[in-house]
Amino acid sequence: MRIKNDNELDIAIAQLDLFLEKEELNTVEHIFKDALTDAIEAYEDERFSDLGKLSVQEYLLSELEEQGLQKQDLIPYFGSKQSISNFFAGKHPSKDIIARLVQYFNVPAALFFNQDNYPIQPVSPMNSGHSQGMNS
């Protein structure tokens, strides 16, 4: 069993939740639950394998690009263009903004923190390969 995209991941997680809610599983259900767990872990490991190599800003820029979106499309999550600009300049967002971004991008909250719980480094315009134009 292999999960190929986020939609399949959502379905697999929903099914796994159903198994976890049951008090007892028969043999087939137990085998299927284990297979779902393995497939979910494999997909998430593959999907998030680059997280340690990219800053959170670079990762979100790549997600925006993949979805055909621009920074201003994040206004509903940040509240303003200025907050978006501050984030991409390296300022740490509020917990509420992080929660909205975690849900929208389906990423772990840990992505927004380095080992010392400080914001991850800002995107360097020379290194990112993405346009940085965001009018405030």
Side-chain angles (χ1 to χ4, degrees), residues 7-27:
N7 290 333
E8 289 183 7
L9 176 66
D10 292 341
I11 293 167
I13 290 172
Q15 183 61 54
L16 181 61
D17 287 343
L18 292 175
F19 284 133
L20 295 174
E21 289 173 2
K22 290 182 86 172
E23 288 189 30
E24 288 188 42
L25 299 176
N26 64 37
T27 303

Side-chain angles (χ1 to χ4, degrees), residues 24-54:
E24 288 188 42
L25 299 176
N26 64 37
T27 303
V28 172
E29 290 172 326
H30 186 70
I31 291 169
F32 191 57
K33 177 189 72 80
D34 289 346
L36 274 174
T37 301
D38 292 345
I40 290 167
E41 288 176 1
Y43 179 78
E44 288 179 341
D45 287 348
E46 180 182 319
R47 179 161 187 249
F48 299 122
S49 65
D50 288 338
L51 293 185
K53 301 173 190 167
L54 299 175

Side-chain angles (χ1 to χ4, degrees), residues 12 35 51 53 68 79 84 87 97 104 107 112 120:
L51 293 185
K53 301 173 190 167
I84 295 169
F87 170 73
I97 292 172
Y104 177 75
V107 295
F112 291 86
I120 296 177

